[in-house]
Amino acid sequence: MSTGVMTVDGIDAAEEWLDAWVGQANAQAARSVELSRRVAALTGTAEGRDGAIRVTVGSTGQVEQLDLDDRVHELSGPRLAAEIVSVMRRAQAVLSTRVAEEVRATVGADTETGRAVIHSFDSRFPAVESEEGR
């Protein structure tokens, strides 16, 4: 029967456990900060129309660069717009893949943080099939 009195050994063990837990929490926090820093620097790039359209998106999926060469003049306005959006979505999917790689390299894809980050990017920027050859 327990008397409710903690022994010195019990206090030492509890302190060791707490120290280990705090160390793990601090390490996970440092990895999360590193992931955030890495993701903020990521971009995704994709090309379409045999390189005539090239889109680069930043870490939040926003278009940072759009390059068009003269071959796009062969397209109607609506078709050009559709092609640009398609290439942009592929660039965003590339970004999502790169984020998942950084998650695995820092916090791990099996952690709560890793799963949340990967899910966030996958749900916003799902993989798209190539529309080349349409």
Side-chain angles (χ1 to χ4, degrees):
M1 175 175 225
S2 174
T3 62
V5 177
M6 186 175 270
T7 65
V8 173
D9 289 341
I11 292 171
D12 290 343
E15 286 179 354
E16 287 176 20
W17 177 87
L18 184 57
D19 288 345
W21 183 84
V22 168
Q24 289 173 351
N26 286 341
Q28 184 65 21
R31 288 189 297 270
S32 294
V33 168
E34 177 65 11
L35 172 62
S36 178
R37 186 188 65 73
R38 289 183 182 193
V39 167
L42 290 178
T43 61
T45 301
E47 291 184 355
R49 304 266 322 153
D50 300 321
I53 300 169
R54 180 181 174 98
V55 177
T56 299
V57 297
S59 63
T60 61
Q62 80 285 4
V63 174
E64 288 195 344
Q65 188 168 343
L66 170 64
D67 298 310
L68 307 171
D69 75 17
D70 289 338
R71 291 176 284 173
V72 299
H73 293 291
E74 301 166 8
L75 301 173
S76 67
R79 185 65 189 150
L80 176 58
E83 292 279 343
I84 290 170
V85 169
S86 175
V87 174
M88 179 193 69
R89 287 186 179 141
R90 288 199 316 270
Q92 290 168 333
V94 168
L95 172 66
S96 185
T97 298
R98 295 190 68 206
V99 167
E101 291 168 358
E102 291 299 337
V103 165
R104 285 189 287 280
T106 54
V107 299
D110 58 343
T111 63
E112 184 176 339
T113 299
R115 285 188 300 270
V117 170
I118 289 172
H119 174 73
S120 173
F121 276 82
D122 282 350
S123 63
R124 288 184 293 150
F125 310 123
V128 292
E129 293 182 28
S130 173
E131 296 182 12
E132 297 295 314
R134 280 178 120 194

